[in-house]
Amino acid sequence: DGALKTIINATGDAVSAGWWAVIALLPLLLLDPETRANPGRILHSLAEGGILLSRLFLLLFAVSIISSFLNESGLTGELTRAVTAWLEHAKVLSLFGFEIPIVGGVYLMLALICAMFCAILLGM
């Protein structure tokens, strides 16, 4: 009864789907003759996956801390307002001696490039 409740409670989201996919595939790994000859490979692979997953979680944890800091400090809002104010007043972009009028798609592309540089700068 407890196992059935655990299975029912562990369904319904993406993390659970990945977990149950791994659980379902573990017995299927034994269909391979090389894996049957050396079943320790399964445990070794799971251990390597766990190490990789822990490193990934540490990276995502650091990114979430930086993201929450930027949101709480209001820096992203100020940066957005500064870039959009600059783009509203800019009429012509001079690039390598060429004058490019900032209209339509050029405005959008320039805004995306500014956002890209800001993301790189904040990511450092």
Side-chain angles (χ1 to χ4, degrees), residues 48-119:
E48 285 182 1
I51 291 170
L52 180 69
L53 191 63
S54 66
R55 290 179 181 159
L56 180 66
F57 278 154
L58 284 175
L59 176 70
L60 293 176
F61 182 65
V63 168
S64 69
I65 288 173
I66 292 168
S67 174
S68 63
F69 168 75
L70 290 174
N71 284 337
E72 291 298 321
S73 69
L75 181 62
T76 54
E78 291 294 324
L79 189 62
T80 303
R81 284 188 285 280
V83 169
T84 53
W86 173 73
L87 285 172
E88 285 175 358
H89 295 297
K91 303 293 181 212
V92 176
L93 175 66
S94 295
L95 188 64
F96 301 117
F98 295 106
E99 301 251 339
I100 304 169
I102 300 177
V103 292
V106 177
Y107 178 83
L108 179 61
M109 193 63 193
L110 192 57
L112 289 173
I113 290 171
C114 287
M116 176 190 68
F117 282 126
C118 290

Side-chain angles (χ1 to χ4, degrees), residues 10-51:
T11 58
D13 60 356
V15 174
S16 298
W19 169 253
W20 289 112
V22 169
I23 295 299
L25 288 176
L26 282 176
L28 296 176
L29 290 172
L30 295 174
L31 294 176
D32 182 27
E34 292 178 13
T35 306
R36 272 191 310 233
N38 187 7
R41 289 174 55 191
I42 296 174
L43 290 177
H44 181 69
S45 298
L46 287 174
E48 285 182 1
I51 291 170

